[in-house]
Amino acid sequence: MVLISRILTLPIKHIPLLLTFLTFGLQACHSQKSQSAQSILTTFEVDTFVQSERTVVSQRLWEKVFGNKKSPQPVHVLQGNLDQDEENELVLWIEGDMLGSAVCFDHQVEHWTKLGEIVLSFFHGNNPPSIDNQAKMLLTYDYGWGSGYGSEVLNFCQARNDSLYYVLQLLETETVWVSGSTAHRVIHTTYKVISPEKIEAVLVYRVLAGDDMGRYSGKTIFSQNLVLEHHWDKDQKRFLPAQYPGLTGDDYITDGEFELDALFAEEIRKLKFHGPKWKRRALGNAEED
């Protein structure tokens, strides 16, 4: 209920992203303990998908994997390691105008067992899913959008205890106009796997001058790097951020506007009223017009 009430208080641009996340969480964390026909593929059936990548398989095989009656479409194939053993897992995924689906399978002795299914977002973005073999995770994207706003959120999924879990989200990119000016603020995040229990994210926060600033257009008004550590929590089965000075929660992971802008607000205010003239003007100081 807390998460639902949180969604209802968010700007419209964030609701599609979080609704996708809700669907993602419910499906990706669903345990696949039963060995029904829908959850098992034979080696021959897997070979059919691999050999027919981006072509259309039979209706029977399509329904066995994706569970719907609509006409089959091309299926993309990913193979990589999503858990702690040495064998690769298999990901079969499809794309659509707004949403797609990725179904993950684990290799057993004589068959492949379904680990879980993930909702893919292709609305306001078209990044395909991929597998990071060093991190041993499946990477997918969600998107935020609005007037003068855009973001890409990177989702990390991993197989643990014969099920697929969402284990981390990172705000990979975000752009938003700075209120009262033509400047815009951008965020870009990269990550590094330190160990199976630790992921380090480096977040670069920058404010750039607008296009109306002549020779200063696009120049950096303010820049700050944050190194954010995330540690594995065995009880919650996900990576949780370590406490960072000035940040009270983990909202910055999916939306910088909640906390990061507030974190640097005082430094930006000082530049607007006491910084170099071009920075004061870029940040919308009316006295510099």
Side-chain angles (χ1 to χ4, degrees):
M1 292 301 295
V2 174
L3 186 54
I4 295 296
S5 62
R6 166 80 181 280
I7 289 175
L8 295 178
T9 63
L10 291 175
I12 290 176
K13 68 186 179 186
H14 307 300
I15 293 177
L17 186 152
L18 284 177
L19 288 178
T20 300
F21 165 73
L22 277 178
T23 306
F24 174 100
L26 290 173
Q27 294 196 18
C29 294
H30 178 66
S31 178
Q32 301 291 331
K33 298 300 183 183
S34 64
Q35 298 296 308
S36 67
Q38 289 292 91
S39 66
I40 293 177
L41 290 179
T42 66
T43 299
F44 175 78
E45 289 172 328
V46 167
D47 289 342
T48 299
F49 276 106
V50 173
Q51 295 168 9
S52 305
E53 183 174 7
R54 299 188 181 183
T55 61
V56 177
V57 297
S58 69
Q59 183 75 36
R60 181 197 65 81
L61 200 50
W62 166 270
E63 292 181 13
K64 188 171 183 179
V65 172
F66 298 102
N68 58 59
K69 303 292 185 180
K70 70 177 185 178
S71 298
Q73 65 185 74
V75 178
H76 304 269
V77 179
L78 288 174
Q79 297 185 73
N81 202 334
L82 301 179
D83 56 23
Q84 299 307 309
D85 63 30
E86 295 183 358
E87 286 195 282
N88 284 344
E89 279 63 53
L90 174 76
V91 179
L92 304 176
W93 66 275
I94 55 175
E95 57 186 312
D97 293 335
M98 295 180 62
L99 298 176
S101 179
V103 185
C104 304
F105 292 88
D106 185 40
H107 188 217
Q108 306 297 320
V109 177
E110 297 181 350
H111 61 267
W112 293 75
T113 303
K114 184 176 178 180
L115 292 171
E117 183 170 358
I118 300 168
V119 175
L120 303 177
S121 174
F122 293 104
F123 192 42
H124 289 273
N126 58 4
N127 290 313
S130 62
I131 293 177
D132 183 328
N133 282 295
Q134 181 188 9
K136 298 184 177 180
M137 295 187 195
L138 175 66
L139 309 179
T140 69
Y141 282 87
D142 283 322
Y143 306 93
W145 66 93
S147 179
Y149 177 90
S151 69
E152 295 184 348
V153 176
L154 186 59
N155 304 307
F156 295 73
C157 302
Q158 195 169 52
R160 291 176 180 262
N161 300 322
D162 298 324
S163 295
L164 194 67
Y165 292 91
Y166 150 84
V167 296
L168 179 64
Q169 278 187 316
L170 290 177
L171 181 63
E172 186 170 81
T173 62
E174 185 179 66
T175 302
V176 63
W177 292 112
V178 177
S179 179
S181 74
T182 60
H184 57 283
R185 189 267 292 142
V186 297
I187 288 173
H188 182 68
T189 304
T190 57
Y191 70 91
K192 181 179 181 180
V193 179
I194 306 300
S195 73
E197 287 75 39
K198 180 180 177 181
I199 293 178
E200 184 178 274
V202 178
L203 185 150
V204 180
Y205 180 104
R206 292 191 300 158
V207 179
L208 306 178
D211 294 337
D212 63 329
M213 286 297 296
R215 65 190 179 96
Y216 295 106
S217 295
K219 289 197 66 174
T220 299
I221 300 171
F222 174 82
S223 180
Q224 184 71 49
N225 289 11
L226 302 180
V227 178
L228 307 170
E229 293 183 355
H230 301 79
H231 300 275
W232 178 252
D233 186 292
K234 64 180 181 180
D235 295 324
Q236 297 193 41
K237 293 184 175 62
R238 62 177 299 190
F239 287 88
L240 298 179
Q243 186 64 47
Y244 189 90
L247 299 178
T248 59
D250 61 358
D251 287 330
Y252 62 85
I253 294 175
T254 55
D255 192 335
E257 288 186 285
F258 278 117
E259 291 203 70
L260 291 172
D261 286 341
L263 179 64
F264 300 119
E266 181 58 23
E267 293 177 78
I268 302 300
R269 189 196 68 81
K270 288 180 180 179
L271 288 174
K272 180 175 181 177
F273 293 102
H274 306 292
K277 183 175 181 180
W278 76 270
K279 292 188 178 183
R280 298 199 302 269
R281 180 171 173 268
L283 290 170
N285 187 330
E287 296 179 359
E288 303 302 329
D289 289 338

